[in-house]
Structure formats: C-alpha cells, structure tokens
Amino acid sequence: MKAQHITLALEGADFEIQLLQFDPPPGTDPEVHPTNLRKLGFNHLAFRVDDIEAATAHLVANGVTLLSDEMDYISRKLRLFEGPEGITFELVERDA
C-alpha cells in the first residue's frame, strides 16, 4: 500500500492527526468491506502503545479480530484490528 501523508503532531500531545492520499486512489465499489483502508473519508482510528506485542496479545485474548500482521512503517510498528461496529483500529508503537 502506497500513500502520501501529512501528519499534525502537537508537541507534548498524546495524539496526532494524519491525512492520507492513497496511490492508486480508492475505488467506488459500494460492496467494499468496511475495513478497506483505501475508502474515502474516515477509515480508521489509531492508538499509540508502548508494547505492541503485549497489547496485541491482550486484545486477541479478549476476542478482538486481527486484520493484519505486524508491519514496519516509517520507524513504527503497526497492526490493524476489527473494532466495534466493523470500524478498523490500529495500534502504533514508535521506535525508541
């Protein structure tokens, strides 16, 4: 998956906002699964964690569905999960 992105990260804040433009652009298929990250608009919510392996084990042990293997992306470890009502959520661990 390729994307250009702009990230807003306020110094001292525990959150950031990221806008993505995927390449190629998303399709217009109305039957696309809701966890397709190429769809237009809000597509997922990410949470920063200190230990992605421990957080993953906790979620899986409590019945949360994994949507991806662990990925390395721009000095971060990422993993996607199926959240409430089919919304995709992501865990992010930044490299030290």
Side-chain angles (χ1 to χ4, degrees):
M1 178 181 315
K2 291 183 180 180
Q4 295 182 31
H5 67 88
I6 296 174
T7 300
L8 171 63
L10 299 175
E11 189 173 324
D14 289 333
F15 68 92
E16 62 185 42
I17 296 172
Q18 197 173 66
L19 301 175
L20 301 162
Q21 179 179 343
F22 292 103
D23 180 31
T28 57
D29 183 357
E31 298 301 316
V32 171
H33 191 272
T35 59
N36 181 354
L37 298 181
R38 291 183 179 272
K39 70 182 182 180
L40 293 175
F42 170 81
N43 63 20
H44 76 285
L45 185 62
F47 298 93
R48 187 182 316 167
V49 296
D50 293 327
D51 183 342
I52 199 166
E53 288 83 11
T56 296
H58 176 79
L59 292 171
V60 170
N62 285 282
V64 177
T65 302
L66 280 166
L67 296 176
S68 76
D69 292 329
E70 188 176 296
M71 300 172 274
D72 289 317
Y73 180 73
I74 310 177
S75 300
R76 300 170 188 199
K77 294 179 185 177
L78 311 174
R79 182 164 267 161
L80 302 172
F81 296 85
E82 187 168 325
E85 299 181 20
I87 296 170
T88 299
F89 73 92
E90 174 183 28
L91 296 182
V92 179
E93 178 186 329
R94 291 185 175 191
D95 289 347

